[in-house]
Amino acid sequence: MSEPKHPSEIAREALKRLAARHLAPTPANYQACYNEIANLPNIVPFPEPPLRQLAESLVARSPEQKLSLEQLGAAISRRSWQGVQDALLGFVAAASGPAKEPELKILPVLPVEFAAKLARFVECVLPALGDDNERVSEMSSEFLLALRQPELDLPAVQGMLANLSHQVLFAAEEQVEIKESLLKLLHLIIENIGELSLDDSWLKGQVDGLLATVVPPLSLRHLDEMERRLRDVMVKQSEAKSRSIEAQEEMRQMLSAFIERLATMSESSATFQGRIEESARLIEGIQRVEDLAPLLKDVIGATRAMVDETAQSRQQLQILQEKVLNTEAELVQLHLELDNASALARHDPLTDALNRKGLDEALVREIANMRRKETPLSLSLLDIDNFKKLNDRLGHEAGDDALIHLANVARKCMRPTDTLARYGGEEFVILMPDTPLENGIEVMTRLQRELTKAFFLSGREKVLITFSAGVAQLATEESGADAIKRADQAMYLAKRAGKNRVMAG
């Protein structure tokens, strides 16, 4: 008969057997292998903690059940399976046996805390429906009054809630129709203004922006952006109007001086002509040569005076002409600035994405929302791969078209709450509110897939556009500039890793 093995040897063999059988190294598997090698019975350990948890979850509704629970606790302490079985059977029998006490009928009652929250919910919803529907106002007042009663009758409250829900549904549908009708009217007004002012390019920029903003679904973020753009345009417009009035007054003064000078020249010319005619008449009556000298001297003096006055008038007219040209150039420059204010206030003129100024303002707004609502905010910096080669091979016009194509595809993939901005050159930034880092990476990866489906056409040539991107989630106290810097570093790593990649910053 072989000598019994030392426990350390059994332990080593148990570990080897676990590995050979590809079993998970759990305490139960290890115990089974150990007992098998040591020829010991493999007894499952008594599950005291789960049984204690089970006993605590049972509620006694009669003295018999309470006694059964006490017996169950004692059996668990003794680690007696038979005692546990007997106690549980006794508990079940006490619940259904003849000794069962008659159950009291429990009337359905709405919890007070839930009733208060429901009342608060109704109070928050009502302002959105307006005050025009008297039936909704009356039923909601009755419902709120019922919710605030000390003793709530649940069936009655349910009936009132059902009736109020129907009325609220009708009122909400009416509000939707009213909003759609108002939007149609607003469209008509804006289009009519545009038709009446076709020559004003600055107004056309405002009209186009308004029409794009009021397209459903409406977004407070988009409306706020449009308000900022219009305010910039209005400031430029006021400056241009003020300067135009001043320029018109200057033009009137110069024209008045011009007419006055012409009148003076005409008067001088008439005087000169009269003196010449008088001198000619006198010449015809002269008999002696010596009488001609004073007359010639007078004619020469009048001629010299006329020449000097004409030269002076010509110089003054040239000065007036230069002032007119300068004023016209200034007005042209003012209108150009007004056009730029309308089209480029906060948007890139090529892609219609936000420019750097618009991005800075959007970052301030989104960071404030993130901190107020305590929600995640991620941003991505993407850069088109091999953009210089595309420009060199196809030309700068094709490069511009490629930027427009990327911006259009990005907008189709973005949510209404996301923001697209052109950061510079072929770089874009996308702000993604309520988006953690992992989801931000998924968004940029999905945009890469969409670009592989939507080829960019340069003439008849299909061109595949790819980009490398870095994504960063803003920390609570981090600035937008620091987050963009982290995203830029991650984008650089994506370029180094082979391009057409998205990496976290």
Side-chain angles (χ1 to χ4, degrees):
M1 185 172 179
S2 59
E3 296 181 0
K5 295 183 179 180
H6 193 272
S8 61
E9 293 179 346
I10 299 175
R12 285 196 295 271
E13 290 187 19
L15 291 174
K16 292 179 181 179
R17 189 162 297 183
L18 279 175
R21 294 180 180 179
H22 302 287
L23 296 174
T26 61
N29 289 339
Y30 175 79
Q31 185 67 46
C33 292
Y34 186 97
N35 292 339
E36 182 181 346
I37 296 171
N39 294 320
L40 297 174
N42 188 29
I43 301 175
V44 179
F46 188 86
E48 182 175 352
L51 289 176
R52 291 283 185 194
Q53 186 176 3
L54 174 63
E56 292 173 359
S57 65
L58 296 175
V59 179
R61 300 188 181 277
S62 65
E64 290 80 6
Q65 285 186 324
K66 184 176 180 180
L67 179 61
S68 297
L69 287 181
E70 292 174 355
Q71 294 174 349
L72 176 61
I76 294 174
S77 299
R78 297 195 311 271
R79 295 176 173 266
S80 169
W81 278 112
Q82 186 62 43
V84 169
Q85 181 179 352
D86 293 339
L88 288 175
L89 290 174
F91 182 87
V92 174
S96 57
K100 180 179 178 182
E101 293 183 357
E103 293 185 0
L104 296 176
K105 184 177 181 181
I106 302 175
L107 295 176
V109 176
L110 195 66
V112 177
E113 183 179 356
F114 180 77
K117 291 182 178 179
L118 182 57
R120 179 60 181 162
F121 172 76
V122 173
E123 290 174 340
C124 293
V125 170
L126 286 178
L129 302 175
D131 300 328
D132 299 333
N133 195 316
E134 296 181 359
R135 181 60 178 158
V136 171
S137 300
E138 180 182 346
M139 294 182 66
S140 59
S141 299
E142 294 177 358
F143 183 62
L144 292 173
L145 183 62
L147 288 176
R148 293 190 173 95
Q149 296 300 316
E151 295 182 2
L152 299 175
D153 185 357
L154 185 56
V157 170
Q158 285 179 328
M160 297 175 68
L161 180 59
N163 294 332
L164 179 60
S165 299
H166 286 296
Q167 291 296 327
V168 167
L169 178 61
F170 296 146
E173 291 177 349
E174 184 180 12
Q175 290 294 324
V176 171
E177 293 178 0
I178 291 174
K179 186 181 76 171
E180 291 177 352
S181 299
L182 287 174
L183 281 177
K184 289 179 182 178
L185 289 175
L186 182 58
H187 266 277
L188 289 175
I189 293 172
I190 295 172
E191 290 174 355
N192 188 45
I193 293 174
E195 292 294 331
L196 293 175
S197 308
L198 292 177
D199 295 334
D200 295 327
S201 56
W202 64 267
L203 182 59
K204 185 177 184 301
Q206 294 183 69
V207 170
D208 292 343
L210 280 171
L211 288 174
T213 304
V214 298
V215 173
L218 295 179
S219 166
L220 290 177
R221 183 175 284 101
H222 292 164
L223 291 175
D224 179 63
E225 177 60 29
M226 193 63 223
E227 179 185 356
R228 293 174 184 272
R229 293 178 64 183
L230 286 179
R231 288 188 183 279
D232 275 357
V233 173
M234 290 168 64
V235 171
K236 288 291 184 181
Q237 179 182 350
S238 177
E239 293 175 357
K241 182 179 180 180
S242 176
R243 185 64 190 99
S244 296
I245 293 174
E246 294 176 3
Q248 290 174 8
E249 182 61 29
E250 291 177 3
M251 294 284 279
R252 279 195 294 268
Q253 294 177 0
M254 287 186 288
L255 182 58
S256 176
F258 178 74
I259 293 174
E260 183 180 351
R261 174 51 56 186
L262 287 179
T264 303
M265 290 179 63
S266 177
E267 182 180 350
S268 300
S269 178
T271 302
F272 176 72
Q273 184 178 358
R275 293 181 65 179
I276 293 298
E277 290 177 353
E278 178 63 21
S279 298
R281 187 181 62 77
L282 292 174
I283 288 174
E284 291 178 356
I286 291 177
Q287 301 295 327
R288 297 181 303 166
V289 175
E290 55 270 18
D291 294 334
L292 186 61
L295 186 60
L296 288 176
K297 184 178 180 181
D298 184 56
V299 170
I300 291 173
T303 302
R304 286 178 176 173
M306 184 64 185
V307 170
D308 291 342
E309 188 173 356
T310 302
Q312 184 180 1
S313 298
R314 184 184 298 110
Q315 184 179 5
Q316 291 179 353
L317 289 176
Q318 287 178 348
I319 293 174
L320 285 174
Q321 185 180 17
E322 290 176 359
K323 287 184 178 180
V324 170
L325 293 176
N326 291 337
T327 303
E328 288 179 349
E330 185 177 358
L331 288 175
V332 169
Q333 181 63 30
L334 283 172
H335 282 291
L336 287 176
E337 291 179 2
L338 187 60
D339 292 342
N340 290 335
S342 176
L344 309 178
R346 285 172 176 80
H347 283 71
D348 171 52
L350 179 65
T351 62
D352 198 36
L354 290 180
N355 56 20
R356 291 288 288 271
K357 181 180 180 182
L359 174 62
D360 291 341
E361 294 179 353
L363 266 173
V364 171
R365 183 172 61 249
E366 295 298 350
I367 291 175
N369 287 336
M370 175 194 75
R371 291 171 180 168
R372 184 175 65 256
K373 300 178 181 177
E374 297 183 352
T375 54
L377 170 64
S378 294
L379 62 82
S380 173
L381 178 68
L382 63 92
D383 182 275
I384 297 180
D385 297 326
N386 305 316
F387 186 72
K388 185 177 183 302
K389 292 181 180 179
L390 186 149
N391 262 338
D392 294 342
R393 186 170 68 86
L394 300 177
H396 290 286
E397 184 177 352
D400 289 346
D401 291 340
L403 294 173
I404 296 173
H405 176 75
L406 172 62
N408 290 338
V409 175
R411 273 187 281 265
K412 292 179 181 178
C413 296
M414 291 164 50
R415 304 168 301 176
T417 54
D418 297 336
T419 302
L420 175 67
R422 186 178 179 189
Y423 194 64
E426 64 272 21
E427 292 182 333
F428 291 84
V429 169
I430 298 180
L431 303 182
M432 296 170 282
D434 302 325
T435 305
L437 179 63
E438 297 78 9
N439 293 353
I441 294 174
E442 293 176 1
V443 170
M444 301 311 299
T445 305
R446 185 165 61 250
L447 175 56
Q448 286 183 326
R449 289 197 298 267
E450 289 299 320
L451 278 173
T452 61
K453 300 175 185 177
F455 280 95
F456 164 62
L457 289 176
S458 177
R460 296 184 178 180
E461 180 180 354
K462 289 184 177 180
V463 181
L464 175 62
I465 297 178
T466 64
F467 64 81
S468 303
V471 181
Q473 179 178 338
L474 276 82
T476 305
E477 300 300 328
E478 187 178 21
S479 67
D482 290 340
I484 290 179
K485 185 176 180 181
R486 287 197 292 117
D488 182 57
Q489 293 172 347
M491 183 270 293
Y492 177 74
L493 293 177
K495 292 276 190 185
R496 293 287 301 272
K499 300 180 181 180
N500 195 23
R501 301 171 187 269
V502 180
M503 299 191 73

